[in-house]
Amino acid sequence: IRDRYQRRVHGDWKPSITVKQIVVGIQELLDNPNPNDPAQAEPYQLFLNDRKKYEEKVREEAKKHRPSGAQDA
């Protein structure tokens, strides 16, 4: 699965990709970030050193920035 999303990021994207596939891809990257290519230093360090705290922070940020009217799952 991860290779499929890596190819999309690196140039194999096609306009036939659905919004659902994009959201699933984002979820995959949040669940399994690439430690060899960190986008942000702080989350990267947290991911490496304290996976549980990293996951808590991701959930906290998702709740903080959820669309209005969205409910907790």
Side-chain angles (χ1 to χ4, degrees), residues 29-45:
L29 290 172
L30 289 172
D31 288 342
N32 299 295
N34 182 353
N36 297 320
D37 188 18
Q40 297 175 326
E42 182 182 348
Y44 170 70
Q45 290 301 319

Side-chain angles (χ1 to χ4, degrees), residues 4-68:
R4 183 173 63 205
Y5 295 108
Q6 288 288 2
R7 286 193 302 271
R8 289 181 186 159
V9 169
H10 295 291
D12 287 343
W13 184 86
K14 301 201 178 357
S16 61
I17 294 173
T18 66
V19 171
K20 180 180 178 182
Q21 289 170 312
I22 292 169
V23 171
V24 169
I26 292 169
Q27 182 177 3
E28 172 69 19
L29 290 172
L30 289 172
D31 288 342
N32 299 295
N34 182 353
N36 297 320
D37 188 18
Q40 297 175 326
E42 182 182 348
Y44 170 70
Q45 290 301 319
L46 197 56
F47 176 79
L48 290 179
N49 300 315
D50 190 345
R51 181 68 182 253
K52 184 177 179 183
K53 189 163 181 139
Y54 169 83
E55 290 172 0
E56 290 171 1
K57 184 69 173 174
V58 168
R59 285 187 188 90
E60 177 186 311
E61 290 298 315
K63 281 184 180 181
K64 189 178 356 176
H65 300 288
R66 69 181 171 200
S68 60

